Amino acid sequence: MRTSIATVCISGTLTEKLRACADAGFDGIEVFEPDLISSPESPEEIAALASRLGLTLDLYQPFRDAEGVDEATFVSVLHRARAKFSLMERLGIETILVCSNAGTATVDDDAVSADQLRRLADVAQEHGRRLAFEALAWGRFVDDYRRAWRIVEQADHPALGVCLDSFHILSRGHDPAAIERIPGEKIFFVQLADAPALTMDVLSWSRHHRLFPGEGSFDLPGFMGHVMRAGYDGPWSLEVFNDVFRQTDTLRTAQQARRSLTWLEDQSTERADGEGTMALPAVDQPHDFDFVEVKADDTSAVEELLRQLGFTFRGRHRSKPVRLWSYGSARLVCNEQQARDLEPTLAAVGFEVTDADASADRARRLQAPAVSRRSLAGEIDLAAFSAPDGTEIFLADAPDGVESAWVGEFDGGSTAGEPALITGIDHVNLAHPWQSFDEAVLFYSSVLDLGLDAGQDIAAPSGLVRSQVVRSDDCAVRLALNVAPLAHDGVLAQHVAFASPDVVEVARRARDAGLQPLPVPQNYYDDLAARFDLGRERLAELRELGVLYDRDRTGEFLHFYTETIGAVFLEVVQRGGEYRGFGAPNAPVRLAAQHLRDRR
């Protein structure tokens, strides 16, 4: 699969964009006209740089307002086109993108559009160029790829074909199945973009909110399958207009874009010949959390919370300033190595996988940066890589029910005695900067092959917290990815949630051990009494212990929170029935309480 990307997708100058796209592993680029116009380099210099970098120049775009006009206007269209075809000769680009007319169109007649595109193609052919006609979703008259194809078919010119853009097709709800009726040789170019499900005018949606494949709600593997079955054999190119991507680091965004195409190729297993692509090694989803790591200059306050919750100190690492606590299968590592002046933060998450080598190879192919930590002879060297926010991800080969081998490197602690009131890690909540949130969603879903739940926004005193859950199919691994509002005046805390069969008993024992849970206002329990018939005694018990409650048609959910230490707090949860949520109605209460404590 040949890959390409429009220079409009990323920040920087045109030469910076070319270098970043080459470093990220793209085969070619689309030159977005404003990038060339603003470049001090000549077209010949741009072509030479692309050649040195191993990039092909696949498309020049856009050429606007070409068809559906009166004859006087079309004269100026031909004048403009001749200049662009000469420019393309200097660049060495064969194909130009011609958008359906959204501005100057006055004639709603397929025959007129076909005639004008045929005459335009005659001029293109004289210059050795060709036209890819694209139906814009907001075109004045032509806004459907099927009509664009009818016009191209009627024009019947060898230098004229169609460009298929997933956004223009899927945003309008057009059925992509008819793509298979277009001969593959007449599909001159394919552009790919994902997008979130939004209700807004399609032009604003397109200009500001496109995403890379895998980050939105479009069925791009299905779209790609239709194009493959039509016989298309050209580049698969990204055209993503997004305010965030055009502000962030050029190389990092290019790598994010390339990762998305690798993921999409892997998902699009149907080819015209029926063979799968297998772009990535097949891996099983993580089947459990292995550990979570808190890193700080001083982890004693977090360790005190663990002691109050009933965790057992398992010992200190034989060669590092790292301590291990566990309860049931829940393991939390407290790391003070290379953490001078660092407040407690979630630094790493470990996962138990079926084949760590295969999972690490998948991560490498998706350009996840490798992580290396010092290990002495005889110590376990876990495969590791870095997530977009800097969280380190570790992979361990650990069969179900068997404790990971690295635990044996900790000495001087105890083993758990009584039956576990905490059985494992239920979920981990990770905070992300606004500019890397979409990248993080794609990262965890592609690298770890996790599925996506519906995203949601949660009200906080400083604005809306955007949240997206990624999880394994059996929900054994759940990650809640959050991004704080821009007005948030501080670090959005992250947390580990532990699973328990009896949250009330854990809360009671923790209180007796000195734990001060996050305070919950009386107004919350008054509202809880109105929402659910819990009974006076049970409601009083929940209020006394600071336990929150939720229920839906599948089951019930009880949970409580500890205070925040640095940027970390802990949660204990109990799921009843088939409840799969996270107590979302209670999240604003938690965020408000944390906000008040931060202010104090």
Side-chain angles (χ1 to χ4, degrees):
M1 176 174 123
R2 286 181 53 222
T3 61
S4 188
I5 182 172
T7 56
V8 72
C9 296
I10 54 179
S11 65
T13 65
L14 181 55
T15 55
E16 290 170 343
K17 294 180 182 193
L18 263 63
R19 291 188 176 95
C21 293
D23 288 345
F26 281 95
D27 301 312
I29 64 163
E30 304 176 33
V31 176
F32 188 58
E33 185 170 70
D35 286 329
L36 179 68
I37 292 172
S38 60
S39 173
E41 290 80 18
S42 69
E44 289 81 6
E45 289 172 318
I46 294 299
L49 175 60
S51 178
R52 289 196 301 272
L53 294 172
L55 291 171
T56 56
L57 300 182
D58 297 327
L59 187 75
Y60 189 78
Q61 64 120 329
F63 191 83
R64 301 187 186 279
D65 302 334
E67 45 73 42
V69 298
D70 58 65
E71 276 302 304
T73 302
F74 190 66
V75 171
S76 64
V77 170
L78 289 174
H79 172 77
R80 181 162 49 97
R82 288 188 177 94
K84 297 305 176 185
F85 296 150
S86 296
L87 174 62
M88 290 168 64
E89 289 183 78
R90 297 173 65 190
L91 286 164
I93 298 178
E94 180 184 19
T95 306
I96 190 170
L97 175 68
V98 179
C99 304
S100 63
N101 199 327
T104 63
T106 56
V107 183
D108 184 11
D109 188 321
D110 286 3
V112 170
S113 292
D115 176 67
Q116 291 176 345
L117 288 173
R118 183 188 308 112
R119 290 154 63 189
L120 195 61
D122 282 338
V123 179
Q125 193 172 47
E126 292 172 7
H127 290 263
R129 309 300 112 178
R130 62 181 196 165
L131 316 177
F133 184 50
E134 173 187 65
L136 293 177
W138 53 89
R140 176 69 176 86
F141 299 122
V142 181
D143 60 5
D144 188 324
Y145 79 96
R146 292 165 291 196
R147 185 174 183 184
W149 164 239
R150 288 197 300 270
I151 292 170
V152 168
E153 191 175 28
Q154 186 173 344
D156 190 22
H157 196 290
L160 178 64
V162 294
C163 173
L164 300 175
D165 183 308
S166 64
F167 182 87
H168 294 303
I169 294 172
L170 301 178
S171 66
R172 294 295 301 269
H174 297 318
D175 185 356
I179 290 172
E180 297 184 35
R181 295 198 287 271
I182 304 174
E185 66 273 13
K186 296 301 285 183
I187 302 175
F188 281 6
F189 209 73
V190 172
Q191 294 174 320
L192 300 166
D194 211 334
L198 299 174
T199 303
M200 62 188 307
D201 74 276
V202 71
L203 178 57
S204 297
W205 191 12
S206 172
R207 291 282 172 83
H208 302 285
H209 301 288
R210 293 196 192 195
L211 297 170
F212 293 125
E215 297 177 353
S217 60
F218 288 166
D219 179 15
L220 290 185
F223 173 86
M224 198 170 175
H226 291 304
V227 177
M228 286 178 174
R229 287 189 289 277
Y232 175 70
D233 62 358
W236 297 88
S237 187
L238 297 172
E239 188 194 41
V240 175
F241 297 86
N242 184 289
D243 298 345
V244 173
F245 300 159
R246 299 199 70 183
Q247 300 177 55
T248 49
D249 180 77
T250 308
L251 176 57
R252 177 167 169 174
T253 306
Q255 290 171 332
Q256 174 186 355
R258 186 62 185 85
R259 179 184 300 134
S260 76
L261 277 181
T262 303
W263 171 86
L264 181 58
E265 182 183 8
D266 186 65
Q267 295 294 304
S268 304
T269 56
E270 272 194 81
R271 290 187 181 275
D273 57 11
E275 296 181 2
T277 62
M278 295 302 293
L280 297 169
V283 297
D284 293 333
Q285 295 177 325
H287 54 76
D288 205 350
F289 289 100
D290 189 26
F291 68 91
V292 175
E293 177 185 284
V294 172
K295 192 169 188 175
D297 187 6
D298 180 2
T299 62
S300 59
V302 175
E303 294 186 65
E304 177 61 14
L305 289 182
L306 293 170
R307 184 195 66 79
Q308 292 167 342
L309 290 174
F311 276 68
T312 298
F313 174 60
R314 300 292 299 278
R316 179 186 173 98
H317 194 271
R318 63 182 63 157
S319 66
K320 305 181 183 80
V322 180
R323 296 157 64 88
L324 172 63
W325 293 75
S326 73
Y327 200 162
S329 66
R331 289 180 287 273
L332 198 141
V333 172
C334 294
N335 185 359
E336 295 178 349
Q337 186 175 37
Q338 297 177 343
R340 185 173 180 178
D341 298 327
L342 179 67
E343 291 291 314
T345 185
L346 290 188
V349 181
F351 296 96
E352 296 180 357
V353 295
T354 303
D355 186 338
D357 289 339
S359 294
D361 183 35
R362 181 183 178 94
R364 180 186 58 78
R365 297 196 196 190
L366 286 164
Q367 302 192 30
V371 167
S372 178
R373 288 193 179 182
R374 180 180 61 87
S375 298
L376 300 183
E379 295 178 354
I380 303 297
D381 186 16
L382 298 177
F385 47 88
S386 179
D389 67 330
T391 301
E392 295 181 349
I393 304 300
F394 288 82
L395 305 172
D397 289 317
D400 289 334
V402 178
E403 198 166 55
S404 296
W406 59 264
V407 174
E409 297 173 8
F410 289 79
D411 302 315
S414 306
T415 56
E418 63 180 288
L421 279 172
I422 289 178
T423 55
I425 295 174
D426 182 86
H427 65 274
V428 176
N429 184 305
L430 299 173
H432 289 79
W434 62 271
Q435 66 270 26
S436 67
F437 181 77
D438 292 314
E439 181 185 4
V441 172
L442 172 63
F443 177 88
Y444 286 108
S445 61
S446 62
V447 173
L448 296 178
D449 197 29
L450 298 174
L452 302 181
D453 282 347
Q456 58 183 315
D457 294 331
I458 300 169
S462 56
L464 292 178
V465 174
R466 184 180 173 194
S467 182
Q468 173 70 62
V469 172
V470 293
R471 57 168 178 78
S472 58
D473 294 341
D474 62 1
C475 292
V477 169
R478 299 178 176 95
L479 296 173
L481 311 179
N482 291 347
V483 59
L486 291 178
H488 188 74
D489 54 352
V491 177
L492 186 64
Q494 309 185 97
H495 76 272
V496 186
F498 302 111
S500 172
D502 191 345
V503 155
V504 169
E505 182 60 24
V506 174
R508 181 176 289 107
R509 293 190 185 190
R511 184 194 60 180
D512 293 343
L515 179 76
Q516 293 294 322
L518 185 71
V520 181
Q522 176 61 40
N523 290 337
Y524 169 79
Y525 292 102
D526 290 343
D527 179 68
L528 200 61
R531 292 168 56 210
F532 303 112
D533 183 14
L534 297 175
R536 184 176 301 176
E537 290 185 7
R538 191 179 192 199
L539 192 65
E541 183 180 52
L542 299 181
R543 181 175 58 245
E544 176 192 6
L545 298 172
V547 174
L548 298 95
Y549 180 89
D550 187 38
R551 186 169 69 210
D552 62 19
R553 59 183 179 80
T554 65
E556 63 178 7
F557 187 70
L558 294 91
H559 57 137
F560 72 90
Y561 304 100
T562 71
E563 64 179 318
T564 301
I565 307 294
V568 174
F569 64 97
L570 306 176
E571 179 185 10
V572 182
V573 309
Q574 178 182 344
R575 297 178 182 274
E578 299 297 323
Y579 188 98
R580 296 178 64 170
F582 299 85
N586 301 330
V589 178
R590 187 258 296 174
L591 289 166
Q594 289 174 329
H595 176 79
L596 287 173
R597 292 184 78 91
D598 288 344
R599 286 297 175 90
R600 289 169 185 163

